[in-house]
Amino acid sequence: MNLSKEEERMLNGEFGQGNQRAIELLVAIGDAFDAEEMIPITRAHAASSGQEGDLYFVELLANGGAKCRVPTSTNPVYDLEFFHRPHEALSDEAEVARRVMKAYERVGAILSWSCVPYLTENIPLFGETVAFSESSATPYVNSVIGATTNREAAQSALAAGVVGKTPKYGLHIKENRKGTILVKVEAALKDSFDYTLLGQFVGKQVGYGIPVLAGIAKRPSTEELINFCAMSNTTGAVSMFYIPGFTVEAQTVEEAFQGDKPKDKIIVTDAELKQTWEELQTASGKIDFVMLGCPHYTLNQVAEAAKLLERKKIHGGVSFWICTSATTRALAKRMGYVDTIENAGGRVIVDTCIDEPCWSMYKDKVGMTDSPKCAYYRRFKDVVVAGLEDCVESAVRGRYE
Ligand code: F3S
């Protein structure tokens, strides 16, 4: 890579060891992808987690004195105050989580602990160059907002946030942003859960690529787009997609393929969505808990859950959880949604990912969720996957039939 004088000096350690480690990683990635140069970024999102690999890298940078040069938000780990009583010794796993969170604080990251930061805490604009990791964040930022990011890891996104730059390759180059496969959507897409199933199916079929979804007549909601992003980038590696007319960079299918003819095509009907749904189920009947908010619920989704729970009581044998960001919970509390959910027996919890050891109490249990991603990363035995309304009804009944 051609480095500027300042980048060379950083690589030589003149700006401290933390910066040196960060730029070393970026240069190695740039070399691996034949990038010719670094380009400035305006913001980053690090898919932090309470895991050892994350701890190693963020402490390496923090101990070396690194500080984020651009706003860099953080993914959920878990709410230590909620899951651990004060004065109680932390478990080994909780100690890792505490150190991760502390180290992100030391590098000056935004302590958002949210996996949808692009909605509230760290919002790119059209055309910005950014480095966003996290399954829903990468495709949302590329496709819905029209900023450019590669599919970053927690470490590469943090390094980019510290250096304020990223290697120029992949989706930072216009010709690499063209569609690679046409997806003819013939399914009815009745609700946001259908977008979840669509993402699940399309990700599996496409694998690594940029699908262009044709045939969607009605504008998808923010939540539907988030669901599609999270699932297609979990079952596949979909960092970008087009819904011509609704996502920003192409108004037509032809534009999305930048004039090329699509080489591959798949068709999605209601039958594929039904089969996708059936394949997700590993249980039915009695459930032990319901887990929602993977990705973190938006204010609209918390409001919808509250509305469904009005004047209802969750079954005594069922725990009911909604994960969201601290920002959204504060607003939901102010608007009465949190009280409605808590009065029904549920909880709205912040800063927490479903893939964290704080949920180990459910390892032999049956859970229900509206998120195949939650089912995929689950730390519990069996799972039922269904839309929010079914999840709430089953929580009240204690069973899914
Ligand atoms: Fe968010 Fe964790 Fe799910 S980061 S999308 S709650 S696996």
Side-chain angles (χ1 to χ4, degrees):
M1 281 177 81
N2 300 315
L3 299 183
S4 69
K5 289 224 161 42
E6 192 193 45
E7 290 158 3
E8 289 283 7
R9 288 174 57 207
M10 197 180 282
L11 195 60
N12 290 334
E14 287 182 41
F15 296 94
Q17 218 178 40
N19 285 303
Q20 188 182 24
R21 294 285 98 89
I23 199 165
E24 276 172 359
L25 178 66
L26 299 180
V27 169
I29 293 170
D31 284 343
F33 286 96
D34 293 330
E36 287 179 3
E37 57 177 346
M38 296 276 194
I39 43 171
I41 59 163
T42 45
R43 58 187 79 243
H45 176 71
S48 49
S49 70
Q51 293 167 7
E52 305 258 346
D54 202 17
L55 176 64
Y56 168 77
F57 191 71
V58 65
E59 281 196 343
L60 187 72
L61 299 202
N63 293 343
K67 292 277 179 213
C68 295
R69 281 183 172 71
V70 297
T72 302
S73 45
T74 48
N75 239 30
V77 181
Y78 67 96
D79 183 347
L80 283 165
E81 278 177 36
F82 179 85
F83 284 100
H84 291 275
R85 290 198 188 87
H87 315 303
E88 226 179 41
L90 292 181
S91 64
D92 290 350
E93 287 163 327
E95 181 56 19
V96 170
R98 186 196 66 75
R99 281 173 56 192
V100 164
M101 294 170 100
K102 192 69 207 163
Y104 274 103
E105 189 181 336
R106 286 165 60 210
V107 297
I110 301 169
L111 306 182
S112 49
W113 315 126
S114 161
C115 44
V116 291
Y118 46 83
L119 297 182
T120 39
E121 297 90 356
N122 196 12
I123 312 168
L125 295 177
F126 180 83
E128 277 190 43
T129 303
V130 303
F132 267 46
S133 50
E134 176 52 28
S135 61
S136 76
T138 306
Y140 193 96
V141 158
N142 273 318
S143 320
V144 180
I145 295 177
T148 75
T149 179
N150 279 314
R151 192 172 194 267
E152 303 288 351
Q155 291 75 14
S156 60
L158 175 61
V162 162
V163 175
K165 294 185 178 175
T166 192
K168 184 178 180 186
Y169 73 98
L171 293 173
H172 294 301
I173 297 169
K174 176 134 177 71
E175 55 263 36
N176 296 334
R177 295 172 73 81
K178 71 170 85 160
T180 61
I181 179 166
L182 180 65
V183 179
K184 280 197 79 186
V185 181
E186 293 177 4
L189 300 179
K190 302 173 300 300
D191 53 26
S192 67
F193 186 62
D194 276 354
Y195 271 88
T196 298
L197 297 175
L198 181 68
Q200 180 81 1
F201 177 77
V202 168
K204 241 189 207 170
Q205 299 297 312
V206 169
Y208 181 82
I210 303 182
V212 179
L213 280 66
I216 295 178
K218 185 172 157 269
R219 179 180 298 282
S221 68
T222 302
E223 289 74 14
E224 288 167 342
L225 290 165
I226 293 172
N227 291 351
F228 179 82
C229 290
M231 305 315 151
S232 62
N233 203 18
T234 299
T235 53
V238 173
S239 302
M240 184 170 181
F241 65 96
Y242 290 93
I243 308 179
F246 298 128
T247 53
V248 291
E249 274 185 44
Q251 294 309 304
T252 63
V253 169
E254 293 69 33
E255 248 184 84
F257 284 102
Q258 296 182 13
D260 287 356
K261 284 258 171 289
K263 288 187 193 76
D264 289 309
K265 179 169 100 174
I266 54 173
I267 297 177
V268 192
T269 68
D270 286 329
E272 277 77 33
L273 297 194
K274 183 167 178 280
Q275 192 186 341
T276 300
W277 176 75
E278 284 166 357
E279 285 168 3
L280 287 165
Q281 317 303 327
T282 74
S284 64
K286 181 180 171 309
I287 56 166
D288 299 303
F289 65 98
V290 168
M291 191 168 287
L292 307 168
C294 171
H296 274 182
Y297 258 18
T298 64
L299 186 66
N300 284 344
Q301 289 170 309
V302 177
E304 207 181 326
K307 191 155 178 259
L308 290 165
L309 280 167
E310 259 169 26
R311 290 178 292 282
K312 299 220 175 98
K313 278 281 170 221
I314 289 161
H315 189 278
V318 176
S319 313
F320 185 96
W321 301 93
I322 295 178
C323 297
T324 191
S325 68
T327 321
T328 299
R329 190 188 193 279
L331 202 47
K333 172 77 183 160
R334 183 185 288 175
M335 296 175 77
Y337 306 141
V338 172
D339 288 348
T340 305
I341 293 164
E342 287 182 349
N343 288 340
R347 286 186 186 277
V348 182
I349 180 119
V350 301
D351 301 345
T352 303
C353 168
I354 55 86
D355 180 27
E356 287 291 331
C358 56
W359 304 111
S360 56
M361 62 228 186
Y362 292 131
K363 81 176 172 346
D364 300 321
K365 308 282 186 194
V366 178
M368 186 164 179
T369 176
D370 60 350
S371 163
K373 186 177 175 190
C374 174
Y376 179 76
Y377 286 123
R378 71 177 181 268
R379 289 176 180 265
F380 45 97
K381 189 166 145 255
D382 277 311
V383 67
V384 181
V385 184
L388 171 62
E389 216 170 315
D390 278 333
C391 287
V392 169
E393 272 173 26
S394 305
V396 170
R397 233 184 292 127
R399 307 182 58 79
Y400 175 75
E401 304 296 354

